Amino acid sequence: MERRGGRGGRSGPRTALGLSACALPTVTRLVTMVAVLGGRGVLRLRLLLSALKPGIHVPRAGPAAAFGTSVTSAKVAVNGVQLHYQQTGEGGHAVLLLPGMLGSGETDFGPQLKNLNKKLFTVVAWDPRGYGHSRPPDRDFPADFFERDAKDAVDLMKALKFKKVSLLGWSDGGITALIAAAKYPSYIHKMVIWGANAYVTDEDSMIYEGIRDVSKWSERTRKPLEALYGYDYFARTCEKWVDGIRQFKHLPDGNICRHLLPQVQCPTLIVHGEKDPLVPRFHANFIHEHVKGSRQRHSARLMVVFPVPKALRPAGKAGTETAPLLPYHSVLWYI
């Protein structure tokens, strides 16, 4: 929900995929089916991933039903708060899904929890403190809230007895993932991020201010969050988020985590929407340039970006919208 990857624009929050945040579950449920790629798309993806990891066996996706649907949820005490999480799968590769601004596992990752291969992965989707069902406490935004989220996320996975994890983060979750990978390098195996930025510009700050009033968001985007939080908490927390994220603009170079990027050691895949109107492309470029071992691709070998087929566009959306046709299951082939 954001100008970045999960923050809103004038018509309400959008994802880094160039889609409304509320459409994310519907669209990703479709793109996780390899059929949407077509034969050439699958071949291209397999060649890409094989190039990233010479000799890797890239499995072919099976029917979604083969992945099972059993998901459990619980809370665990971490750093003085009760953090809510959802967990599924029994694979040896642990993966943590990190949601965006105001997001939760329930709102951001339902299709992935349902459809990812449970024999290969153990998948955990968490609600950061103050978001989703990790309440109380109410969400607040001190100067170190991203670092706090990164520590909470790592400590949650340690409390769940995972020895090492990979991260999939979008929007604020992508920033949190970058910080976690930089600060806890021995614990993070691999990472995929999309819709993240390492600093705040004047342009970003203007976009943030434009989403302060949630009453101006589209009903389609607003409704799921109202259902989760109630209007008052939703509106109040969005205003607090805008103030919280804009505070970075007053730091040297608008720094959020740009100083930490060189410390990221794990293999990193950066995904960015080709025509994302809310996350300027230079943010993904900057992360790519400063994270050692990161990977991006498009026709010029910079981004993972593909146009959205008409069948995948949300109802009422213009044909200019695009999204990476790199489904989560396929992304996990990389990690």
Side-chain angles (χ1 to χ4, degrees), residues 55-90:
I56 188 174
H57 169 66
V58 181
R60 296 183 181 274
F67 302 145
T69 58
S70 177
V71 178
T72 61
S73 64
K75 288 187 176 184
V76 62
V78 176
N79 299 328
V81 297
Q82 292 286 325
L83 293 180
H84 177 264
Y85 67 95
Q86 294 171 284
Q87 181 173 328
T88 186
E90 55 188 19

Side-chain angles (χ1 to χ4, degrees), residues 107-157:
T107 57
D108 290 13
F109 294 114
Q112 290 70 51
L113 286 165
K114 179 180 179 181
N115 293 313
L116 290 177
N117 190 317
K118 296 180 169 70
K119 292 184 178 180
L120 295 178
F121 306 106
T122 297
V123 182
V124 176
W126 81 310
D127 299 353
R129 65 170 70 198
Y131 283 164
H133 300 288
S134 292
R135 296 177 288 146
D138 285 357
R139 181 70 176 183
D140 62 352
F141 299 92
D144 65 343
F145 73 90
F146 280 119
E147 285 80 1
R148 182 185 64 184
D149 283 350
K151 179 172 173 53
D152 283 350
V154 168
D155 289 347
L156 167 66
M157 297 303 279

Side-chain angles (χ1 to χ4, degrees), residues 213-327:
D213 184 356
V214 299
S215 69
K216 297 179 180 178
W217 293 15
S218 68
E219 180 181 359
R220 170 179 191 168
T221 302
R222 189 176 65 241
K223 189 173 181 179
L225 294 173
E226 282 188 37
L228 176 62
Y229 294 116
Y231 181 84
D232 289 343
Y233 185 84
F234 167 42
R236 183 171 68 251
T237 305
C238 182
E239 290 189 5
K240 290 162 63 176
W241 178 86
V242 171
D243 293 335
I245 195 69
R246 291 186 70 194
Q247 67 185 310
F248 295 105
K249 180 63 184 67
H250 303 296
L251 299 179
D253 299 316
N255 182 45
I256 299 176
C257 64
R258 56 190 296 159
H259 62 295
L260 294 174
L261 299 185
Q263 299 178 33
V264 176
Q265 299 177 18
C266 65
T268 301
L269 177 64
I270 301 165
V271 182
H272 190 73
E274 184 180 52
K275 295 183 179 179
D276 188 340
L278 306 174
V279 186
R281 179 165 164 166
F282 59 76
H283 281 304
N285 287 341
F286 184 88
I287 295 171
H288 174 53
E289 290 168 3
H290 291 84
V291 171
K292 183 178 180 180
S294 66
R295 301 289 186 268
Q296 292 184 321
R297 174 188 170 94
H298 71 163
S299 58
R301 298 183 179 236
L302 290 174
M303 303 282 180
V304 182
V305 289
F306 301 93
V308 175
K310 290 182 179 180
L312 295 183
R313 295 177 193 149
K317 296 299 178 182
T320 57
E321 309 223 359
T322 64
L325 272 185
L326 191 63

